[in-house]
Amino acid sequence: YARAKNADVMLLKNSNKITLQIIDNGIGFDPEKTNGSGLKNIKQRVKALNGELQIISNKEDGTIVKIVF
């Protein structure tokens, strides 16, 4: 869907946090207007594990997804 040609996936751990960050160069989307079942599922799972989810995306700018536990 994203038409990304590249995606970087980083998994970082420090003493008390684990961070998953995914950055792509796709077409982007409006996270506030997207209610697909995949995104809802991710939000529910992150919330259930007391994590934090941040999505930064704009049309034509790609997407950054950051999850911190």
Side-chain angles (χ1 to χ4, degrees):
Y1 298 113
R3 297 185 202 143
K5 293 192 186 326
N6 296 302
D8 293 320
V9 179
M10 292 171 272
L11 184 62
L12 309 167
K13 181 183 180 292
N14 67 22
S15 61
N16 62 350
K17 289 184 183 178
I18 296 174
T19 302
L20 172 64
Q21 185 168 299
I22 304 161
I23 303 170
D24 75 30
N25 67 342
I27 60 172
F29 66 100
D30 184 344
E32 299 299 318
K33 294 183 180 177
T34 302
N35 291 314
S37 60
L39 189 54
K40 284 181 185 177
N41 188 9
I42 290 169
K43 288 177 179 179
Q44 290 172 348
R45 289 174 185 257
V46 170
K47 184 177 180 180
L49 295 169
N50 296 316
E52 299 172 24
L53 172 65
Q54 180 181 21
I55 300 173
I56 301 169
S57 186
N58 296 300
K59 298 273 184 180
E60 306 303 323
D61 286 338
T63 301
I64 300 171
V65 176
K66 184 175 180 181
I67 302 171
V68 179
F69 295 104

